[in-house]
Amino acid sequence: MHYIIRRVLYFIPTLFSVNLFVFMLFFVVNTPDHIAKQALGEKASTPEMVQRWKEARGYALPLFFNRDSKGMGCLRDTIFYQKSLKMLWGDFGVSDMTLQPIGPEILRRIPPSLCLTFSVFLASLFFNIVIAMLVSANRNSHYDFGVQLACVFLMSVSSLIYIITAQYLFGKVLHVVPVSGFLPGKEMFRFLVLPVAIGILGNLGSGVRFYRTLFLEEMGRDYVRTARAKGLPEGKVLFVHVLKNALIPILTNVPVQLLMLIMGSLLLENFFSIPGMGGYTISAINAQDFAVVRTMVFLGSFLYMVGLVLTDLSYCLVDPRVKLV
Amino acid sequence: MLQSFFNSWVTQNLITMAIIAVVMVAAVMMSRREYWRVAAREVCQKRAARFSFVILCIYAVVALLDSIGWRRPVVDASTGKTVLHASTGKPILDHGASALDYILKPISSKKETTYSAPLAERQFTTVIERAEDGSVARVHKALNYPCQHLLGTDIIGADVLALSLKSIRTGLIIGFLTTLIVIPFALFFGLCAGYYGGWADDIVQYLCTLISSIPSVLLIAALMLISGRGLPQLCMAVALTSWTGLCRLVRGEAIHLREMEYVQAARALGVSSWRIIVRHILPNLLHLVLINLVLKFSGLVLAEATLTYLGLGVSAETISWGTMINDARSELTRDPIIWWKLTSAFVFMLGLVLPANIFGDAVRDALDPRLRTQ
Amino acid sequence: MNRDGTILHVDGLCTAFRQGRVSVRAVNDVSFSIYPGEMLALVGESGSGKSVTALSLMGLLPEATSIIEGGKAFFNDKNILEPHVVDAVRGKEIAMIFQEPMTALNPVLTIGWQLTEGLKQHEHLSSAQCHDKAVALLKRVGIPEPEERLKDYPHNLSGGMRQRVMIAIALACNPVLLIADEPTTALDVTVQAQIMELLADLRREYRMAVLLITHNLALVREQADRVAVMYAGEIVEEADGKELFASPKHPYTRLLLNAIPTVSARGRMLSAIAGQVPAPSEVLPGCRFAPRCPYADEACVVGRPNKNELTKKHFVRCVHHQVNSAGIPEETKETESSHEGKLLLDVRGLKVWFPVKSGFFARTRGYVHAVDGVDLQLSAGKTLALVGESGCGKTTVGKALIRLVKPTEGSVVIDGVNLAALSEKQMKPYRKKIQMIFQDPFGSLDPRLMVGESIAEGMDVHGIGEVEKQARLKELLDKVGLPQSSLTRYPHQFSGGQRQRIGLARALAVQPEIIVCDECTSALDVSVQAQILNLLKLLQGMMKLSYLFITHDLSVVSYIADRVAVMYLGRIVEEGSVQDILMHPVHPYSRALIASAPRMDEEKAEERPRLAGELPSPIAPPSGCAFHPRCPFATAECSRTMPTLQGVGPGHRCACLNTANKSAHP
């Protein structure tokens, strides 16, 4: 318990710093005037239009300290409080372009995104580990060599190519799956098969290589020799001794994998018109909607940190040396 | 401002020369040390690595040719004389072009009006044409230069082969310039944090945690939105998000090396910290830095395409594989499909990334002492 | 058992490793037999192929890089070298224990799991039966509270306890043969003594044969029934333990035995063997020892010597085994023993505490009392040995003296200047006076610098001109016995012993008065260790150097030291001349330490004070006398009062409440 509390307490200052960092980036490096001018068109904007634009979105306030307000208001009626600190308790304000609140939009878009990301994550973890295990059990064989060669090749192809060709091949030529779109419920499966398969393929090359090195490193350890000396069959040595130890570095890599997945799901959601957060982010980027991008940056790091804490906690399950005190 | 600075031919040539000089100096310094010579020999012994290196060199030469450019006086087509400025009497210069542009002129000047398949005689699209007898027919018009476009032409009739070759520079710049920006940051912060420890370490660790806790795509998105699209901005943004990984590696290794007995011996002799870092720590972790950079290089090239597709990379006018693939998406919805632009981008990209990966593996095998002892 | 009465009969084993395209033979035509209940020791320096022999027999070599090229090994009349034959007996009838108890156990599985795994595999016992057997086994190997330990993970146990668990795992299926590969090398001497005693008991009890693989000749002398000496992949001599040590026949064996430092060897040079063990890739058509052998002639280099049977149980593989039985010409160059010099280094009340940080904002939770009030005096031209087990803080003392760590308290006075009070900048000129040489010959030289650059580093820093530098470099290489061409070569081109010479040259380059030798010979083989010890003695005589010799190896101490200080948990418990400490130790810890160490020059003592337990944590040292929890003579007073060093004889002091008023010299 103590450990969990401590982890969570560590997490708050980092979250606060990310908040401050995002604020600096979006309001100090880049001023609201600049945002307004960009949105209205550099030449077409008059000072009055800029002022009106800013007021409509709450950007007309001072950055940190409002002299015109009274009491706590001088701190509260600022961009920092209104636009940045409020994100800490989930108030994301409105979109710059559509003036629609961002919060509900995100809530609506979370389930499809989660479905996609987690399916890709779990499936590729499974495939990567199984293939890597098989390869490292037969290391230095022709089979191993072939898989390694395939991995280098898979790694060298842009994920865009995978998506475009697969979509064309399975969607348009073979008509196996719908080209794009999304429906909740049972139908979801049909729409997710192709994106998930592409997601797995995109991760396979680097994933298998990574886990292979990891398993081979574990297999060179002394305890493996001890296990063999006990007369255990090779299968038991691999799947009990090696795998259980390898879980520790595998877990360490999970947050990194999740970060990579964000990029992948941006692409997949966009190509397959899945109404998730990735699609939302891309349209915000294309529309230069700073409010939405800002929210996404903050939310992304929040999710990452949650993942980090969860990983730390799950260490206790696999590594007896980590104590919950 | 930044954009115009980078777009001027003088600065571009200077930067190119500087990069060549840096690479040459590094190569000469390394070749003096036996360790690097042995490693280079080991890499060369592998046929695949040798072959990859040759391909990488060809790409590099193409990119360099595309980076050095000059402006030429405008020549009046009718008189064949250079046009002079009315008031100053000096020759008027054109916008300038790179050496590669001059080389590719025979191909790139053969303009068509629209799509054509590789080595086709006629246009890909049809136009409605009224024959002399008054009947209307959809016909494929003949090309201006039939059978001369090895990889076909794109929507505005530009040669795809020329486009693909011009894209090489963009891809290599992303890989190389980003690396050049990352190295000093990562080395400086990593070494300070690792060797000195204490509060220097705390600050660097904090910075790293902060930056790496923001998913890199989103941070790049934020940075690109603020700074506007463009090649130098993209390099900066990617560098800012990716220096933390190398920094952590350097820091960890510096902590390990700090405890090595030869460093202890140097300290016991009264060698200053700065000198220890430069003489003992840096040379002993340089191989890890090199492995890391070589292996990351291909990822950077691939990232350019993806980011460009997401609207975060280079602007649409810049010729790059990213923009080529981006265009291909709409081309694939046509019937029959236009496959050659996507395919050329894919093949040319694979031609860079695959050798880069193979070469990177060979470098790692040659330099990583852990693998060497196995 | 085989039909001929042996447990294991190995005949002509050859094992090779693939290195790129060439294959290199690490074990060449090795034959031996083990009889029931007997302990056969396979002794040799590193690279002799002794571990590879054991792993070949167990079928545990990495398949990808190694091949067994020939030979037979019969166990139960089956050739276990044939593929998969050994699988049936491995872990069941032949068991093995390894060197590193820290890494040989799986860190994420419980002791119980690892212990019962083999039982389930081979004996097909039920869970309850397994549990009972596991408890019984742990109890047998001397682990307290076995029921609770079954649920523990390896990291909860100390090194000695882990090795006991390893033994329990090996014993699980009542093997008839136990292969022990350097079972005590990673352990401290007091723990080594416990483990060896346990092995001896178990051997008697289970009537189990043991193949002991070790480099430690003294240990072999005490433990083994029969000894096979390996050199460069071959067995060069095999005999009964007593006979081998009494009348060794092979020149290598003889030189090796003479290379071991002892008290009786003091005052003369050790018989170091020139050069080093040849790499397995070196092609030597004749006797593999010929290049280093003082008796080698043409007959030695033409063909491989035959195995000569001297008696029924004594074999030697040497052409000259009869000719040279007259004895080896000993290098009896006398090293002068100078009389008492002036006091050079005076350390008073030295303390080094490391903060233990954890929690928010790295709060200091406590301190590791690594060094907790140490007094040392070193005279010019003398050697003071600082002895203790790992973790006692002896290395930290060395580092504090040369200011690699900052002392928390206390004074380090050289030439009337207290170095502990100086700033880093003020310290710089004094760094020339005191230098250090290190333990790890592979870590102590920067692999990216040429040897000349490494040696010259100190001279560069202390502003010595180019001309003088070059002259000194030449002189230094001569002094440490390296060729002049070494300057432009890289460390990886040198062997361990040569690297230690380079390290010594680097320290000598600034002309120090004191050299701190931190375990500087413990990573070396005996024959190479002798070379370095000889060199150190020679240089001491030549340059009037003083050494602070930090070591755990008492045999080295007995040879090189003038005075000895015994350290336990950050404090000096006893200090005196080498004769006083080694012959008449007073403190119970020193007595146990000295009794635990196997010796070459003394008859096996039957009754020895054995020490139970292991070193406690220096974060929370025991109250009063730090040794009282392990001390057999501890009284209630010991847990309350911290003893101070009291004189127990001339120049002999001891920190013990019970012996403080007794004299060591009755």
Side-chain angles (χ1 to χ4, degrees):
Chain A
M1 251 345 265
H2 212 87
Y3 181 76
I4 300 174
I5 293 168
R6 211 168 62 212
R7 276 307 318 184
V8 173
L9 284 178
Y10 268 127
F11 162 97
I12 290 168
T14 322
L15 201 62
F16 188 78
S17 332
V18 170
N19 190 291
L20 192 67
F21 179 76
V22 172
F23 172 78
M24 288 295 197
L25 206 61
F26 278 89
F27 293 105
V28 181
V29 177
N30 196 32
T31 58
D33 280 329
H34 184 228
I35 305 177
K37 276 186 193 147
Q38 241 179 328
L40 295 168
E42 194 73 46
K43 284 174 190 136
S45 54
T46 61
E48 294 81 51
M49 283 165 73
V50 167
Q51 191 61 28
R52 224 175 312 126
W53 192 91
K54 275 162 61 180
E55 268 164 19
R57 287 155 186 82
Y59 289 157
L61 298 166
L63 287 180
F64 284 111
F65 191 79
N66 195 340
R67 269 179 234 177
D68 303 333
S69 301
K70 291 182 189 74
M72 284 306 284
C74 61
L75 289 176
R76 207 180 303 134
D77 297 339
T78 57
I79 294 184
F80 182 59
Y81 181 82
Q82 293 292 341
K83 295 286 166 192
S84 203
L85 274 186
K86 273 188 174 178
M87 291 205 287
L88 285 174
W89 51 92
D91 181 354
F92 300 121
V94 295
S95 153
D96 278 354
M97 294 299 142
T98 58
L99 294 181
Q100 298 294 317
I102 298 172
E105 184 71 29
I106 285 177
L107 277 182
R108 204 169 50 242
R109 283 167 175 274
I110 280 179
S113 270
L114 278 187
C115 286
L116 178 69
T117 318
F118 271 91
S119 326
V120 173
F121 172 67
L122 292 177
S124 52
L125 198 65
F126 174 77
F127 281 107
N128 288 344
I129 289 178
V130 168
I131 296 177
M133 205 80 199
L134 290 174
V135 168
S136 33
N138 299 299
R139 64 199 163 281
N140 295 322
S141 63
H142 292 290
Y143 171 63
D144 177 23
F145 184 73
V147 172
Q148 286 224 66
L149 211 64
C151 283
V152 178
F153 189 82
L154 283 176
M155 271 172 67
S156 308
V157 178
S158 168
S159 43
L160 288 172
I161 303 281
Y162 288 131
I163 299 179
I164 293 177
T165 17
Q167 204 175 28
Y168 174 74
L169 208 67
F170 293 102
K172 290 203 186 107
V173 180
L174 301 173
H175 296 288
V176 192
V177 287
V179 173
S180 65
F182 190 76
L183 283 172
K186 270 190 185 165
E187 285 291 287
M188 187 173 80
F189 180 73
R190 281 198 314 128
F191 288 100
L192 281 185
V193 168
L194 192 57
V196 170
I198 294 168
I200 296 169
L201 194 68
N203 281 331
L204 205 61
S206 54
V208 169
R209 269 163 60 103
F210 174 79
Y211 292 117
R212 178 182 172 274
T213 350
L214 209 145
F215 288 139
L216 285 185
E217 201 168 300
E218 284 299 325
M219 282 159 86
R221 298 268 153 103
D222 284 355
Y223 69 83
V224 176
R225 199 177 53 186
T226 311
R228 292 205 177 112
K230 267 187 239 172
L232 296 183
E234 193 65 16
K236 259 193 185 163
V237 173
L238 282 184
F239 283 92
V240 177
H241 287 261
V242 173
L243 192 58
K244 193 131 198 251
N245 273 281
L247 275 180
I248 300 164
I250 289 175
L251 261 183
T252 314
N253 199 42
V254 162
V256 184
Q257 290 274 311
L258 282 174
L259 278 185
M260 308 263 276
L261 274 181
I262 290 179
M263 174 95 141
S265 61
L266 281 186
L267 284 178
L268 289 173
E269 283 181 19
N270 182 273
F271 266 99
F272 290 95
S273 316
I274 295 168
M277 312 241 277
Y280 191 43
T281 315
I282 291 193
S283 43
I285 291 169
N286 290 331
Q288 306 225 319
D289 191 332
F290 283 81
V292 175
V293 174
R294 192 176 62 227
T295 309
M296 284 300 170
V297 170
F298 179 73
L299 217 57
S301 60
F302 174 78
L303 289 175
Y304 173 68
M305 279 187 265
V306 171
L308 223 52
V309 173
L310 289 179
T311 313
D312 271 7
L313 293 181
S314 53
Y315 272 133
C316 317
L317 296 178
V318 295
D319 192 349
R321 284 162 291 190
V322 177
K323 267 184 270 169
L324 275 174
V325 277
Chain B
M1 217 282 286
L2 199 66
Q3 196 81 47
S4 64
F5 177 77
F6 273 96
N7 280 355
S8 118
W9 279 113
V10 180
T11 41
Q12 223 169 72
N13 289 347
L14 281 177
I15 290 173
T16 314
M17 293 302 177
I19 288 177
I20 296 176
V22 166
V23 172
M24 298 273 265
V25 168
V28 167
M29 276 170 75
M30 281 179 173
S31 68
R32 286 213 189 126
R33 287 283 165 185
E34 191 206 53
Y35 172 81
W36 296 102
R37 280 207 306 271
V38 170
R41 218 174 297 139
E42 205 164 306
V43 172
C44 287
Q45 272 166 4
K46 292 188 180 158
R47 199 149 24 113
R50 216 160 46 212
F51 191 63
S52 304
F53 185 68
V54 171
I55 296 179
L56 290 178
C57 285
I58 295 171
Y59 269 84
V61 167
V62 172
L64 285 178
L65 285 177
D66 203 10
S67 302
I68 294 173
W70 56 87
R71 296 168 71 174
R72 289 210 289 204
V74 177
V75 177
D76 192 318
S78 52
T79 58
K81 284 182 181 167
T82 53
V83 182
L84 300 181
H85 194 273
S87 53
T88 57
K90 284 182 184 162
I92 293 177
L93 300 175
D94 61 6
H95 291 302
S98 71
L100 185 72
D101 291 331
Y102 294 121
I103 295 170
L104 287 181
K105 204 148 200 190
I107 315 176
S108 54
S109 63
K110 288 173 183 160
K111 279 274 185 191
E112 305 295 341
T113 46
T114 182
Y115 288 119
S116 68
L119 294 174
E121 285 177 38
R122 299 181 159 272
Q123 282 180 358
F124 177 76
T125 48
T126 54
V127 284
I128 299 167
E129 207 163 67
R130 191 180 296 271
E132 275 168 23
D133 58 354
S135 64
V136 176
R138 300 185 71 89
V139 293
H140 296 272
K141 273 174 100 175
L143 289 178
N144 301 340
Y145 304 94
C147 298
Q148 292 194 10
H149 298 288
L150 200 61
L151 296 175
T153 55
D154 70 352
I155 189 160
I156 52 162
D159 189 277
V160 172
L161 176 64
L163 283 183
S164 307
L165 285 171
K166 292 279 288 176
S167 302
I168 289 175
R169 173 174 176 265
T170 318
L172 281 177
I173 283 184
I174 298 282
F176 212 80
L177 195 60
T178 312
T179 309
L180 280 187
I181 301 171
V182 162
I183 292 176
F185 276 94
L187 279 184
F188 179 76
F189 285 119
L191 284 173
C192 284
Y195 185 76
Y196 292 105
W199 58 266
D201 191 21
D202 291 341
I203 291 177
V204 172
Q205 284 270 73
Y206 181 75
L207 261 179
C208 282
T209 321
L210 183 64
I211 290 183
S212 60
S213 73
I214 302 174
S216 56
V217 185
L218 294 174
L219 187 57
I220 292 172
L223 291 170
M224 292 306 283
L225 265 192
I226 288 163
S227 60
R229 292 171 74 165
L231 195 53
Q233 290 96 314
L234 181 64
C235 291
M236 294 278 195
V238 175
L240 191 71
T241 55
S242 60
W243 67 277
T244 54
L246 186 61
C247 179
R248 286 203 174 126
L249 180 87
V250 170
R251 173 184 169 270
E253 196 59 20
I255 288 176
H256 167 69
L257 290 174
R258 185 179 66 182
E259 301 302 324
M260 290 298 285
E261 286 179 345
Y262 57 82
V263 175
Q264 306 265 324
R267 282 177 59 204
L269 286 165
V271 182
S272 65
S273 308
W274 176 239
R275 207 179 143 98
I276 288 178
I277 290 180
V278 172
R279 210 173 136 94
H280 293 294
I281 303 221
L282 188 60
N284 278 294
L285 50 75
L286 219 49
H287 68 286
L288 288 179
V289 175
L290 193 75
I291 293 171
N292 187 277
L293 295 178
V294 174
L295 289 179
K296 285 251 175 82
F297 177 84
S298 55
L300 289 171
V301 177
L302 290 177
E304 184 270 331
T306 320
L307 289 172
T308 303
Y309 174 79
L310 290 177
L312 298 170
V314 295
S315 54
E317 307 90 67
T318 314
I319 303 166
S320 83
W321 292 312
T323 45
M324 283 171 79
I325 295 176
N326 203 1
D327 297 341
R329 204 191 166 192
S330 59
E331 292 164 0
L332 279 181
T333 56
R334 300 173 78 120
D335 193 37
I337 56 163
I338 292 160
W339 50 269
W340 50 89
K341 201 166 169 186
L342 178 70
T343 315
S344 336
F346 164 65
V347 169
F348 273 83
M349 228 167 135
L350 190 69
L352 174 60
V353 176
L354 188 61
N357 276 333
I358 293 173
F359 186 67
D361 282 353
V363 168
R364 187 196 53 202
D365 290 349
L367 291 180
D368 197 328
R370 247 185 344 168
L371 292 166
R372 196 180 259 183
T373 52
Q374 269 176 18
Chain C
M1 203 185 288
N2 294 321
R3 246 167 288 158
D4 56 1
T6 57
I7 288 278
L8 176 72
H9 176 73
V10 182
D11 187 21
L13 172 70
C14 297
T15 306
F17 287 98
R18 256 180 242 124
Q19 285 178 354
R21 288 195 189 86
V22 289
S23 84
V24 167
R25 212 170 249 203
V27 173
N28 188 21
D29 189 17
V30 162
S31 309
F32 58 87
S33 304
I34 303 176
Y35 294 90
E38 154 187 79
M39 181 184 270
L40 172 68
L42 214 51
V43 216
E45 299 180 286
S46 56
S48 61
K50 53 194 193 300
S51 280
V52 178
T53 305
L55 293 173
S56 309
L57 294 173
M58 288 291 275
L60 288 176
L61 286 169
E63 293 152 38
T65 51
S66 60
I67 2 160
I68 292 176
E69 290 186 326
K72 293 187 176 98
F74 290 101
F75 184 83
N76 288 346
D77 289 319
K78 283 193 194 103
N79 181 5
I80 55 171
L81 291 182
E82 278 170 17
H84 304 297
V85 175
V86 77
D87 294 355
V89 289
R90 193 200 299 137
K92 195 177 175 209
E93 289 173 87
I94 309 179
M96 188 161 178
I97 54 177
F98 300 97
Q99 176 175 355
E100 278 292 337
M102 293 297 166
T103 54
L105 290 172
N106 193 328
V108 301
L109 297 175
T110 58
I111 303 293
W113 176 291
Q114 298 188 54
L115 194 50
T116 53
E117 207 173 26
L119 285 172
K120 284 182 185 148
Q121 182 70 32
H122 300 295
E123 317 255 296
H124 310 290
L125 298 180
S126 70
S127 291
Q129 284 172 308
C130 279
H131 179 262
D132 293 344
K133 179 122 197 223
V135 172
L137 278 167
L138 286 186
K139 201 179 248 167
R140 181 60 201 92
V141 296
I143 290 180
E145 298 160 27
E147 295 268 355
E148 276 80 89
R149 293 292 87 77
L150 285 180
K151 286 174 228 122
D152 274 345
Y153 289 93
H155 71 272
N156 303 117
L157 304 180
S158 64
M161 284 296 159
R162 288 186 210 192
Q163 198 59 299
R164 285 171 193 268
V165 171
M166 272 302 292
I167 294 174
I169 291 175
L171 289 178
C173 301
N174 300 330
V176 289
L177 173 63
L178 177 71
I179 301 179
D181 186 1
E182 304 265 10
T184 56
T185 309
L187 304 173
D188 283 320
V189 273
T190 55
V191 184
Q192 164 173 296
Q194 296 166 13
I195 296 288
M196 288 317 295
E197 204 169 53
L198 174 68
L199 271 180
D201 286 351
L202 291 169
R203 186 157 68 91
R204 272 193 297 276
E205 194 179 314
Y206 285 73
R207 264 190 66 73
M208 176 174 69
V210 176
L211 176 62
L212 175 72
I213 290 162
T214 184
H215 68 280
N216 191 337
L217 285 160
L219 190 71
V220 169
R221 181 171 171 272
E222 289 192 351
Q223 301 281 342
D225 301 321
R226 241 158 15 96
V227 184
V229 182
M230 281 191 82
Y231 179 80
E234 291 177 355
I235 292 183
V236 293
E237 187 166 4
E238 187 190 326
D240 269 355
K242 281 210 183 78
E243 188 174 337
L244 185 97
F245 286 95
S247 58
K249 288 289 182 286
H250 197 282
Y252 174 65
T253 320
R254 277 192 253 173
L255 287 166
L256 198 62
L257 290 177
N258 275 316
I260 297 171
T262 52
V263 175
S264 52
R266 289 176 68 88
R268 66 173 166 88
M269 294 303 232
L270 293 166
S271 78
I273 309 175
Q276 69 257 356
V277 181
S281 54
E282 268 177 65
V283 181
L284 298 168
C287 170
R288 293 191 58 88
F289 186 60
R292 298 175 74 189
C293 183
Y295 309 104
D297 54 24
E298 303 82 51
C300 295
V301 291
V302 286
R304 194 158 166 260
N306 293 324
K307 196 166 165 182
N308 298 298
E309 195 174 322
L310 299 180
T311 65
K312 202 164 178 298
K313 279 184 154 184
H314 195 159
F315 305 95
V316 60
R317 206 182 268 283
C318 177
V319 180
H320 301 297
H321 66 279
Q322 288 152 324
V323 189
N324 56 45
S325 54
I328 290 167
E330 274 177 359
E331 290 178 64
T332 47
K333 202 168 138 193
E334 199 72 17
T335 50
E336 73 252 61
S337 81
S338 51
H339 33 263
E340 204 60 34
K342 71 172 170 75
L343 187 66
L344 200 57
L345 170 74
D346 191 8
V347 180
R348 300 269 172 203
L350 183 72
K351 282 186 186 174
V352 183
W353 289 8
F354 298 112
V356 182
K357 288 180 177 171
S358 66
F360 278 120
F361 310 112
R363 259 182 310 164
T364 303
R365 287 275 169 98
Y367 290 93
V368 176
H369 300 229
V371 179
D372 207 9
V374 160
D375 296 348
L376 289 173
Q377 284 77 40
L378 178 59
S379 310
K382 291 286 178 186
T383 304
L384 168 67
L386 193 56
V387 192
E389 294 178 290
S390 55
C392 73
K394 54 190 193 301
T395 295
T396 313
V397 170
K399 287 189 172 171
L401 293 188
I402 56 167
R403 274 286 285 279
L404 288 177
V405 294
K406 193 146 172 57
T408 314
E409 235 176 74
S411 63
V412 178
V413 178
I414 295 178
D415 285 355
V417 182
N418 179 8
L419 300 189
L422 297 180
S423 73
E424 193 57 42
K425 214 171 190 175
Q426 292 167 321
M427 177 74 194
K428 198 174 160 186
Y430 292 96
R431 287 199 178 278
K432 278 196 280 189
K433 291 193 185 288
I434 180 163
Q435 277 299 315
M436 189 159 183
I437 50 179
F438 295 87
Q439 169 175 12
D440 179 10
F442 292 87
S444 59
L445 293 174
D446 187 338
R448 300 290 149 76
L449 288 185
M450 285 187 285
V451 166
E453 293 172 296
S454 276
I455 298 177
E457 185 153 43
M459 294 190 268
D460 292 339
V461 172
H462 292 282
I464 286 162
E466 191 60 30
V467 182
E468 197 191 340
K469 192 171 97 179
Q470 292 306 331
R472 261 205 220 175
L473 278 176
K474 280 207 177 77
E475 191 194 324
L476 282 167
L477 286 181
D478 283 341
K479 269 186 187 156
V480 299
L482 287 171
Q484 294 293 337
S485 61
S486 309
L487 289 179
T488 50
R489 285 158 69 193
Y490 286 90
H492 71 90
Q493 294 165 303
F494 294 89
S495 69
Q498 286 173 317
R499 287 177 198 220
Q500 285 308 57
R501 288 171 194 266
I502 298 168
L504 188 57
R506 175 177 56 192
L508 290 175
V510 291
Q511 297 173 329
E513 293 166 25
I514 304 165
I515 294 185
V516 179
C517 308
D518 183 9
E519 300 271 14
C520 67
T521 59
S522 51
L524 303 174
D525 283 319
V526 179
S527 64
V528 182
Q529 167 178 291
Q531 296 171 6
I532 300 294
L533 288 178
N534 283 344
L535 180 64
L536 286 173
K537 272 218 164 168
L538 192 71
L539 290 171
Q540 185 167 46
M542 256 163 60
M543 304 168 76
K544 292 278 167 288
L545 291 169
S546 307
Y547 296 130
L548 176 66
F549 212 90
I550 297 168
T551 186
H552 67 276
D553 188 343
L554 288 167
S555 65
V556 173
V557 172
S558 68
Y559 174 70
I560 200 160
D562 298 307
R563 295 188 67 78
V564 181
V566 182
M567 214 171 155
Y568 186 80
L569 216 61
R571 296 175 150 270
I572 305 275
V573 294
E574 189 168 359
E575 199 249 319
S577 71
V578 66
Q579 285 83 6
D580 285 345
I581 300 285
L582 293 183
M583 303 302 169
H584 315 286
V586 173
H587 195 281
Y589 175 68
S590 328
R591 273 152 64 183
L593 185 73
I594 288 155
S596 302
R599 298 264 284 273
M600 286 305 286
D601 52 356
E602 197 183 88
E603 265 319 299
K604 211 164 168 177
E606 280 311 311
E607 273 313 304
R608 290 173 158 178
R610 287 281 192 235
L611 211 50
E614 285 168 58
L615 204 66
S617 157
I619 297 177
S623 62
C625 172
F627 185 59
H628 84 263
R630 295 174 76 188
C631 183
F633 312 110
T635 61
E637 182 63 13
C638 291
S639 60
R640 286 194 296 270
T641 317
M642 179 95 81
T644 51
L645 282 172
Q646 305 284 338
V648 286
H652 186 176
R653 296 185 301 163
C654 171
C656 180
L657 294 173
N658 296 332
T659 43
N661 35 22
K662 273 189 262 162
S663 170
H665 310 281

